[in-house]
Amino acid sequence: GAVVSQHPSWVICKSGTSVKIECRSLDFQATTMFWYRQFPKQSLMLMATSNEGSKATYEQGVEKDKFLINHASLTLSTLTVTSAHPEDSSFYICSARSGGLSTLSGANVLTFGAGSRLTVL
Amino acid sequence: AQSVTQLGSHVSVSEGALVLLRCNYSSSVPPYLFWYVQYPNQGLQLLLKYTTGATLVKGINGFEAEFKKSETSFHLTKPSAHMSDAAEYFCAVTPYSNSGYALNFGKGTSLLVTP
């Protein structure tokens, strides 16, 4: 089935530094990937939609200069948290659309990465 | 906008008992509805989805859900809970047949299974 790989799984950084998280679709091409943020014990909040070859679409309230998204190829999207601060500490999850590749095949099936936990000291 | 509401942030059942996790949706167009499961510090795994056709949807791990348009509900059930079912469960919705849209998630229900 469809697999989405996220790296790194865990990252700790100092305040003020930048951190890059990669999201790869391993066995399918993803023209669209989505980045979510999840706070402890809460739901997933959509941050942005990443479109291959074009600018990302950010949700209201998400700082595009803070969370840089690049989708340079059909299998890779990256999220860079710039000048990270402790309030950016969170669980970041990416997902990609993989129609017809999972056992529950069909349109609008999103495959999720395992997530990246960011801790900013 | 499409949204889902999950009733009950925490549900506790005994091992072997029926699991019922509630989800109601709001959508101005026919929705696609999903249930995902999340284990600690992991991503989300698709349990099942409803698109069109049969309203009773069977998924993995013995879970199923029934789409009831009249009740705007998509409750998740499992006849007999296992200890391994303990996890966070999310209901999600996306507009019908719009491949560019992401999922809108409910707030999640934490399922606890006791021996």
Side-chain angles (χ1 to χ4, degrees):
Chain A
V3 178
V4 172
S5 173
Q6 243 182 281
H7 178 80
S9 301
W10 298 80
V11 57
I12 300 174
C13 70
K14 293 182 178 180
S15 183
T17 61
S18 295
V19 174
K20 180 185 287 187
I21 300 170
E22 293 186 347
C23 178
R24 295 181 183 272
S25 56
L26 296 186
D27 49 2
F28 65 99
Q29 293 183 332
T31 56
T32 302
M33 292 185 175
F34 302 95
W35 286 96
Y36 289 86
R37 182 175 182 176
Q38 185 179 31
F39 291 101
K41 305 294 184 182
Q42 294 189 31
S43 186
L44 284 76
M45 300 301 296
L46 179 65
M47 298 175 65
T49 301
S50 172
N51 301 300
E52 187 269 336
S54 64
K55 292 182 178 180
T57 304
Y58 290 82
E59 295 300 299
Q60 190 174 9
V62 178
E63 299 176 61
K64 59 182 65 177
D65 294 331
K66 173 77 169 174
F67 300 99
L68 300 179
I69 292 174
N70 183 279
H71 195 157
S73 77
L74 287 172
T75 60
L76 174 64
S77 176
T78 60
L79 168 68
T80 301
V81 182
T82 63
S83 186
H85 288 98
E87 57 265 30
D88 298 325
S89 299
S90 191
F91 194 52
Y92 294 90
I93 306 176
C94 73
S95 67
R97 194 168 303 284
S98 58
L101 294 178
S102 70
T103 55
L104 301 177
S105 62
N108 279 304
V109 174
L110 282 185
T111 301
F112 286 81
S116 300
R117 182 161 303 282
L118 170 63
T119 300
V120 184
L121 303 177
Chain B
Q2 288 71 31
S3 65
V4 291
T5 301
Q6 291 183 241
L7 301 176
S9 58
H10 294 82
V11 170
S12 180
V13 300
S14 300
E15 189 174 19
L18 171 72
V19 176
L20 171 61
L21 304 183
R22 299 178 184 275
C23 174
N24 288 89
Y25 71 90
S26 172
S27 178
S28 57
V29 298
Y32 281 179
L33 292 159
F34 304 80
W35 276 99
Y36 282 86
V37 60
Q38 184 182 34
Y39 297 98
N41 294 311
Q42 295 187 27
L44 276 70
Q45 180 182 9
L46 179 66
L47 282 176
L48 49 81
K49 71 176 179 70
Y50 168 78
T51 54
T52 58
T55 57
L56 181 62
V57 181
K58 295 186 182 299
I60 61 172
N61 300 341
F63 285 93
E64 63 181 37
E66 186 171 9
F67 172 68
K68 292 186 177 181
K69 185 178 180 180
S70 61
E71 299 177 8
T72 62
S73 69
F74 191 58
H75 302 329
L76 180 71
T77 61
K78 182 175 180 177
S80 177
H82 294 163
M83 297 296 291
S84 60
D85 294 327
E88 191 81 14
Y89 291 81
F90 293 96
C91 181
V93 65
T94 193
Y96 175 74
S97 188
N98 193 325
S99 61
Y101 276 33
L103 295 176
N104 292 332
F105 287 89
K107 293 187 176 182
T109 298
S110 180
L111 176 64
L112 175 66
V113 182
T114 58

